[in-house]
Amino acid sequence: MIKKYTYFSLLFVALFFLSSFKKEEIKLDGTWRFEIDRNDEGVAGKWYNKNLSDAIKLPGSMAQFLKGDEITLKTKWTGSIYDSSYYYMPRLAKYRQPGNIHIPFWLTPAKHYVGAAWYQKEVNIPANWTGKRVLLHLERTHIETRVWINDKEVGLRNSLVAPHVYDLSPYLAAGKQRISIRIDNRIKEINVGPDSHSITDHTQGNWNGIIGKIALESGSLVYIDDIQIYPDVKNRKARVKITINNSTQNQFSGKISIAAKSFNSKESDETQEITSSLSVSKQEEKSIELELPFGNRMLTWNEFNPALYHLEAKLFSKETSDAKIVQFGMREFKIKENQFLINDVPVFLRGTVHNCEFPLTGYPAATVEAWTKIFKIIKKHGLNHVRFHSWCPPEAAFIAADKIGLYLQPEGPSWPNHGPKIGLGQPVDQYLYDETMRMAKEYGNYASFVMLSAGNEPAGKQVEYLNQFVDFWKAKDSRRVYTGMTVGGSWPVVPNAEYQARGGVRGLKWDKMPETESDFSTGIAPFKVPFVAHEIGQYCVFPNFEEIKKYKGVYRAKNFEMFRQDLEDHKMGNQAKDFLNASGKLQVLCYKNEIEKILRTPGYAGFQMLGLQDFPGQGTALVGVLDAFFQEKGYVSAQEYARFCNETVPLAKISKFVYTNAETFNAAIVLSHSGKEPLKDAVINWTIKNEKGTILSSGSFEPKTFENGNGLFAGNIDFSLSGITAASKLNLEVKIKDTVFANDWNFWVYPEKNIEIPSSVYYTTELDDKAKEVLQNGGKVFLNASGKVIKGKEVEMHFLPVFWNTSWFKMRPPHVTGMLIQDKSPAFKDFPTSFHSDLQWWEIQNRSQVMNLEDFPADFRPLVQPIDTWFMNRRLALVFEAQAGKGKIIVSSANIGPDMVNKPAAKQLFFSLIKYMDSDKFNPKSILDFEVIKDVFVSPSHEVFNTYTKDSPDELKPNSNQNKVK
């Protein structure tokens, strides 16, 4: 029988409930006795019966309290090391010495230990707990736990995603009781993969300890074990499934009631209380479903209005009572064809990957405050989605995301590759089902939990296994959408996946001239379900050595320290900050262009960057505009980033970015819009300005309404460039009137002209005897050395920066991550440039040779300096000037000269340099011997990268022998 109670009936029941039962908790935070069990002798030696010899504080980890071993070259890490050159490279020998170990692969913990360790505490159990159910709650312990009460073993738990909970009722008595916990962080029978972010040293570290809530909880022997809420937004109701457990020897007869009330929004709403009679047989578990109706004031949850409810369930009879409160949101996250829908409104996912980066503790945060801070930063950068790469965060993350309004994709805690494989009957097969079941039970009610992936980039019989995995979850729980695993573009497609989170349709094709007209329509066309781009970006930036001082916790940035010292050894230590900022500006440019290309693509469903923040492992992957602390590095702000990454973004389709003044600049303006409602009667304004801020042209388009979608046409811009008489950098800015949404693009215009080389300058493509003679006689030489470089020939420069990092991919090109340009030099008076690579440099920089200046004076600085990978730190040049003999010389390894065809930027740079050489301002400070210059074109580099090993990451060879099914 279900009926609606009157106000007075509800009041009576509430008063009875509160007076009849109150849950109690004993927190176990604080000092625990502790001992390391290196030889696995604790169980046989009955350590649970002795006082352990050491002490530690919990919550926390062993490394946090300096328990474990010193780092040596023989430390057995959890994680793959593919670039073994560190162990052999002569110049790194000093970093392999005892007392000066600097590991380049990831951050270095204060101490390291993998194995069993024991934790022990004595607790006074109150007399009034007799006859009650007592649970031991261990939140986020790593990895396997075994528990003893006094000399009785309670059991074993193994979960990387959920609390380890033990029912201690049969083992406890009133008075002093000893709790002993054995924690083992080794990879044992269940192998999720050593590079899985749930366990690996690449990210959080393979820590040993307990880092969340640790408590004893007493409660009724008849209790609410689980509540799962299934919203039905369209019909204004929720289906509430409640599991009740009767652990007594008597039948339970009573009632259960549910009611929900909003708690975090300006508007408020609450339901009536629904009550039902209930009986549960002795020693039985029973499930009941109740329908909870909502009224006209029902609040829905999304990223814009993350309205939440608390549902309170009460179980009561004359003898006993129990209660449980659950946070949830009224939302439905569905799929329609190739779109995601939140409450029937199309939503585009703008995401980043969270890899479990916690550089102060080495383990994930377990507080709502910590996650709220992270998620606010993510949203401030215009994002609405987070993927958790091969790990699932603690409950605090879901609570925070619910309140902030973020869409989450946690994953099964596995990267079943580099060892384990799926679909072959290995323990990981069942473990992924078990773990995702635990995730659904613990976190399934949180509104932010909208997507689920089984893990990352598997090996094995993956299609068969993942098809079954997706089918299982689609049938079991409709509250979220499911994919197989999140994979790169070379992995096979899982046909049954509800959405595809994969690579293959991403990146910038900047081997050709940069433009913003193309999109990814052809790439996503074969997919009839939503396509979410996997790990876009991965554009590297030079290390920020000022970050080193932030490492005041468990980890030290020994990798950064090594890179910094190596840069100093290569005589460039004073350029570190300039390298950071110059490479950072290029990094932002690349993220902007890739994100905009996705936003131009109709039908694209979302992207997952790798990442907004740096990844501290896998060779040190500095791919974020934020560091591993989620803090800015100084070269772009969140507000600047959100101009091209937001719910609404103006976009410009531009065929090229370098023009002559004989041309017309054309741009088609389009929008990407993923708002809570259509953009109604939007007026779009545009301006074209020069560097002085002078408006050269402006306009607006007729008001128009834009539904949610990508690549929505707004209007065209045509601007004649004939009035531009000097080399200029111009800027197109597009704004949506009366909103914060704006975006802009630089483009360059050069006067159309023929270049005549002044008689005072000898132009040559060979450093020949005549060049030497001219210099000896006090003349001026311009050497176009394109294609002639020997010293530096091994360094490959593209316009795009280093991908991920050169260590993880064993020096796969490109090796250069942008350029540092002496933009204040009069050499660039007629070639407007910033201090960093920008799009006008593409035709000059891309695929050009670089010169290795290893034999040049220590303080020599070129006009244009490519920034080498920080694993090598070679001093490089694209253009340099010097005094040589009695004369002066400019050398360029980029192909710039008087006869450039269809390369207006290269032609203009040459003009600017030649004009500079013909002026009295051409007075290089550095003096070079002619033979030192000539040696660049004669002798190879002294220092050349050697891998010393032949293996490579699986990502480069997914069909390799180690990935073949055996």
Side-chain angles (χ1 to χ4, degrees):
M1 180 186 73
I2 299 177
K3 72 173 187 176
K4 297 177 182 178
Y5 272 65
T6 66
Y7 171 80
F8 293 105
S9 299
L10 288 172
L11 181 60
F12 172 78
V13 171
L15 290 172
F16 164 78
F17 179 82
L18 291 172
S19 63
S20 64
F21 178 77
K22 183 179 180 182
K23 286 188 176 181
E24 295 184 38
E25 180 181 273
I26 299 175
K27 292 185 177 180
L28 301 179
D29 298 11
T31 302
W32 287 59
R33 288 196 289 269
F34 170 81
E35 195 164 334
I36 295 175
D37 189 359
R38 296 183 185 280
N39 301 315
D40 272 339
E41 59 190 15
V43 176
K46 299 181 179 180
W47 285 16
Y48 45 81
N49 268 342
K50 75 166 189 173
N51 287 335
L52 303 179
S53 60
D54 199 356
I56 196 170
K57 287 186 178 180
L58 295 178
S61 70
M62 285 179 56
Q64 189 175 6
F65 296 100
L66 303 179
K67 310 293 185 184
D69 302 318
E70 297 292 335
I71 307 304
T72 72
L73 294 181
K74 295 183 178 180
T75 296
K76 294 183 179 180
W77 300 102
T78 302
S80 303
I81 296 175
Y82 286 102
D83 180 9
S84 297
S85 61
Y86 161 77
Y87 292 100
Y88 305 100
M89 196 176 290
R91 71 182 175 90
L92 300 183
K94 61 184 176 182
Y95 302 110
R96 301 192 292 266
Q97 304 306 311
N100 194 44
I101 300 294
H102 285 67
I103 301 294
F105 318 115
W106 42 64
L107 300 172
T108 302
K111 296 282 186 177
H112 182 272
Y113 178 75
V114 177
W118 289 68
Y119 303 76
Q120 191 179 81
K121 195 175 189 69
E122 289 185 340
V123 184
N124 276 313
I125 304 300
N128 66 353
W129 281 26
T130 302
K132 294 182 179 179
R133 177 171 175 256
V134 181
L135 299 181
L136 173 63
H137 188 100
L138 308 175
E139 183 186 16
R140 202 46 62 111
T141 182
H142 210 252
I143 301 174
E144 176 190 273
T145 60
R146 290 173 69 178
V147 171
W148 284 260
I149 299 298
N150 301 319
D151 61 351
K152 303 296 184 184
E153 184 170 3
V154 178
L156 178 148
R157 302 284 186 271
N158 185 316
S159 177
L160 289 159
V161 303
H164 293 199
V165 179
Y166 292 86
D167 188 343
L168 305 185
S169 307
Y171 305 92
L172 285 178
K176 187 175 288 186
Q177 305 287 307
R178 174 185 283 161
I179 301 174
S180 300
I181 305 173
R182 179 185 183 272
I183 301 178
D184 193 339
N185 62 333
R186 287 173 290 190
I187 295 177
K188 299 167 76 174
E189 292 80 9
I190 299 170
N191 185 355
V192 297
D195 296 322
S196 303
H197 295 181
S198 55
I199 64 169
T200 188
D201 285 305
H202 285 292
T203 54
Q204 61 177 316
N206 187 8
W207 49 276
N208 187 305
I210 308 169
I211 55 92
K213 176 183 174 182
I214 311 171
L216 291 174
E217 303 168 345
S218 74
S220 171
L221 293 174
V222 183
Y223 57 93
I224 300 170
D225 181 61
D226 188 34
I227 300 175
Q228 297 296 325
I229 304 167
Y230 301 83
D232 182 351
V233 173
K234 188 176 295 184
N235 294 306
R236 296 183 180 275
K237 62 183 181 180
R239 181 169 58 92
V240 182
K241 184 177 180 180
I242 306 172
T243 303
I244 299 98
N245 195 304
N246 179 5
S247 61
T248 73
Q249 295 299 320
N250 302 310
Q251 178 166 314
F252 170 83
S253 295
K255 295 181 182 296
I256 189 163
S257 67
I258 56 172
K261 184 176 182 179
S262 64
F263 68 90
N264 72 322
S265 50
K266 291 181 180 179
E267 298 179 5
S268 62
D269 181 47
E270 59 183 304
T271 70
Q272 292 182 310
E273 189 171 63
I274 302 299
T275 301
S276 175
S277 299
L278 175 71
S279 64
V280 186
S281 299
K282 63 179 183 180
Q283 298 292 309
E284 183 187 53
E285 182 179 275
K286 185 174 185 177
S287 293
I288 182 173
E289 289 193 9
L290 300 178
E291 187 175 282
L292 183 65
F294 288 75
N296 292 331
R297 294 172 60 86
M298 182 186 77
L299 304 173
T300 56
W301 182 95
N302 61 25
E303 64 187 274
F304 306 104
N305 297 303
L308 296 169
Y309 288 85
H310 279 144
L311 180 136
E312 184 174 20
K314 302 172 184 176
L315 178 70
F316 51 93
S317 70
K318 292 180 180 180
E319 296 81 19
T320 189
S321 57
D322 191 26
K324 197 176 185 74
I325 296 176
V326 174
Q327 177 179 304
F328 74 103
M330 288 299 291
R331 66 95 178 124
E332 291 178 337
F333 195 85
K334 301 291 185 183
I335 288 171
K336 182 180 180 181
E337 297 175 347
N338 64 350
Q339 284 185 323
F340 294 113
L341 305 177
I342 180 76
N343 305 327
D344 287 332
V345 177
V347 59
F348 181 87
L349 298 180
R350 306 176 304 278
T352 187
V353 179
H354 196 292
N355 301 291
C356 204
E357 301 96 342
F358 291 93
L360 288 180
T361 61
Y363 55 70
T367 67
V368 175
E369 292 76 17
W371 282 104
T372 298
K373 183 177 180 181
I374 291 171
F375 288 159
K376 281 184 175 180
I377 292 169
I378 288 172
K379 284 205 79 170
K380 197 173 180 181
H381 283 79
L383 301 173
N384 64 357
H385 169 51
V386 181
R387 172 203 170 199
F388 295 92
H389 182 307
S390 61
W391 79 289
C392 175
E395 185 174 28
F398 294 94
I399 295 172
D402 272 16
K403 294 178 180 178
I404 294 295
L406 278 173
Y407 308 114
L408 304 186
Q409 179 189 295
E411 295 187 345
S414 181
W415 186 349
N417 206 323
H418 313 173
K421 301 175 177 66
I422 59 172
L424 304 181
Q426 296 176 6
V428 69
D429 284 353
Q430 184 58 45
Y431 189 67
L432 287 178
Y433 278 91
D434 294 340
E435 288 284 78
T436 51
M437 289 281 283
R438 287 187 272 262
M439 289 163 61
K441 180 178 179 180
E442 294 290 333
Y443 317 125
N445 292 312
Y446 289 109
S448 53
F449 186 1
V450 298
M451 308 164 79
L452 177 65
S453 162
N456 183 73
E457 295 179 343
K461 294 182 179 178
Q462 46 192 289
V463 174
E464 178 183 352
Y465 176 88
L466 293 173
N467 270 336
Q468 293 174 0
F469 179 88
V470 170
D471 289 346
F472 171 84
W473 277 109
K474 284 194 297 187
K476 183 174 180 58
D477 196 335
S478 62
R479 291 175 294 181
R480 64 196 65 88
V481 295
Y482 303 94
T483 193
M485 285 195 174
T486 317
V487 296
S490 58
W491 268 257
V493 172
V494 176
N496 294 11
E498 292 188 284
Y499 68 98
Q500 295 290 334
R502 62 183 296 111
V505 190
R506 67 183 189 192
L508 296 170
K509 305 298 183 184
W510 279 1
D511 277 348
K512 297 181 179 179
M513 183 171 60
E515 43 75 29
T516 58
E517 292 183 315
S518 62
D519 62 26
F520 292 109
S521 294
T522 301
I524 66 171
F527 300 94
K528 306 307 177 185
V529 298
F531 191 100
V532 180
H534 165 267
E535 297 181 359
I536 73 162
Q538 305 185 50
Y539 302 115
C540 275
V541 66
F542 202 77
N544 178 15
F545 297 132
E546 293 180 4
E547 185 183 324
I548 293 172
K549 61 180 180 245
K550 295 182 182 181
Y551 290 86
K552 299 178 180 178
V554 171
Y555 278 94
R556 293 293 180 268
K558 295 288 187 180
N559 46 356
F560 278 57
E561 291 176 11
M562 185 177 79
F563 302 144
R564 179 177 61 184
Q565 183 58 55
D566 193 62
L567 186 71
E568 291 173 356
D569 291 347
H570 284 84
K571 315 304 180 187
M572 294 179 290
N574 62 352
Q575 291 188 287
K577 191 167 185 179
D578 290 337
F579 286 173
L580 165 69
N581 289 326
S583 61
K585 291 294 186 181
L586 176 61
Q587 179 197 49
V588 174
L589 180 70
C590 293
Y591 274 112
K592 171 179 165 68
N593 277 268
E594 183 164 1
I595 289 172
E596 288 183 353
K597 188 172 182 179
I598 292 174
L599 296 179
R600 288 196 302 271
T601 306
Y604 220 123
F607 61 80
Q608 297 165 344
M609 283 191 299
L610 190 57
L612 183 64
Q613 75 287 359
D614 284 340
F615 184 96
Q618 292 184 8
T620 311
L622 306 176
V623 296
V625 298
L626 304 179
D627 61 26
F629 297 84
F630 278 86
Q631 295 175 351
E632 292 180 1
K633 300 180 183 178
Y635 52 80
V636 67
S637 68
Q639 291 78 9
E640 291 168 326
Y641 200 92
R643 286 170 71 88
F644 59 81
C645 178
N646 214 321
E647 65 191 76
T648 306
V649 179
L651 303 163
K653 291 186 173 183
I654 303 171
S655 62
K656 60 180 182 176
F657 290 89
V658 176
Y659 299 82
T660 69
N661 61 357
E663 298 178 278
T664 297
F665 172 80
N666 306 111
I669 304 305
V670 298
L671 291 186
S672 171
H673 180 58
S674 181
K676 60 182 176 181
E677 58 188 15
L679 195 61
K680 296 178 181 178
D681 299 322
V683 175
I684 297 176
N685 301 319
W686 60 270
T687 57
I688 295 176
K689 300 178 182 179
N690 61 21
E691 284 195 281
K692 295 180 180 179
T694 304
I695 296 177
L696 305 181
S697 186
S698 63
S700 62
F701 303 129
E702 290 296 319
K704 186 176 181 179
T705 295
F706 296 90
E707 302 289 338
N708 282 12
N710 286 350
L712 307 172
F713 179 74
N716 290 310
I717 297 172
D718 300 297
F719 172 57
S720 172
L721 303 175
S722 59
I724 309 300
T725 57
S728 302
K729 182 177 84 169
L730 306 184
N731 179 267
L732 167 66
E733 184 175 49
V734 179
K735 294 182 176 180
I736 303 175
K737 186 179 179 181
D738 298 327
T739 74
V740 299
F741 304 119
N743 200 2
D744 68 296
W745 302 264
N746 294 327
F747 63 100
W748 292 261
V749 183
Y750 306 124
E752 181 73 66
K753 58 179 173 293
N754 294 321
I755 296 176
E756 293 185 3
I757 300 174
S759 58
S760 63
V761 177
Y762 171 57
Y763 172 83
T764 180
T765 58
E766 299 281 352
L767 197 60
D768 51 16
D769 290 340
K770 184 176 179 181
K772 187 175 184 179
E773 180 183 348
V774 169
L775 291 170
Q776 286 176 337
N777 291 332
K780 303 172 184 178
V781 173
F782 184 99
L783 172 60
N784 178 353
S786 175
K788 307 293 174 48
V789 175
I790 301 299
K791 191 181 294 293
K793 184 179 182 180
E794 71 282 359
V795 183
E796 191 167 330
M797 178 172 68
H798 303 176
F799 185 81
L800 290 174
V802 168
F803 176 86
W804 196 236
N805 67 75
T806 53
S807 174
W808 182 249
F809 289 111
K810 303 178 77 65
M811 211 53 64
R812 182 180 74 173
H815 306 135
V816 169
T817 185
M819 302 191 305
L820 177 63
I821 302 158
Q822 304 301 322
D823 59 312
K824 305 304 181 187
S825 167
F828 300 108
K829 181 177 182 297
D830 291 283
F831 187 79
T833 183
S834 296
F835 65 93
H836 56 86
S837 306
D838 212 334
L839 290 176
Q840 89 276 28
W841 281 95
W842 175 84
E843 65 186 50
I844 301 165
Q845 177 181 353
N846 190 51
R847 304 282 178 165
S848 288
Q849 284 192 313
V850 302
M851 297 172 279
N852 188 343
L853 308 184
E854 60 187 353
D855 294 324
F856 282 47
D859 61 349
F860 186 86
R861 298 291 183 259
L863 288 168
V864 183
Q865 184 173 5
I867 303 167
D868 193 20
T869 167
W870 56 89
F871 294 94
M872 296 297 292
N873 288 315
R874 292 161 292 204
R875 192 152 42 110
L876 306 177
L878 185 71
V879 180
F880 70 80
E881 63 177 349
Q883 297 181 42
K886 297 179 181 179
K888 306 167 189 176
I889 188 171
I890 286 183
V891 180
S892 170
S893 55
N895 187 18
I896 54 176
D899 301 320
M900 296 287 99
V901 179
N902 296 323
K903 289 188 174 183
K907 186 175 181 181
Q908 185 68 30
L909 176 61
F910 178 72
F911 171 77
S912 185
L913 293 174
I914 288 292
K915 189 175 178 182
Y916 165 62
M917 294 179 75
D918 195 36
S919 74
D920 57 6
K921 294 184 182 297
F922 182 42
N923 187 27
K925 295 179 181 179
S926 298
I927 301 172
L928 295 177
D929 186 272
F930 182 85
E931 295 303 319
V932 171
I933 300 174
K934 185 175 182 179
D935 193 52
V936 172
F937 312 103
V938 175
S939 303
S941 300
H942 308 308
E943 185 181 334
V944 179
F945 177 77
N946 187 337
T947 65
Y948 295 96
T949 58
K950 296 182 179 180
D951 198 11
S952 63
D954 290 353
E955 286 79 1
L956 291 183
K957 49 176 188 178
N959 298 316
S960 66
N961 287 329
Q962 66 193 67
N963 272 339
K964 288 181 179 177
V965 176
K966 298 177 182 177

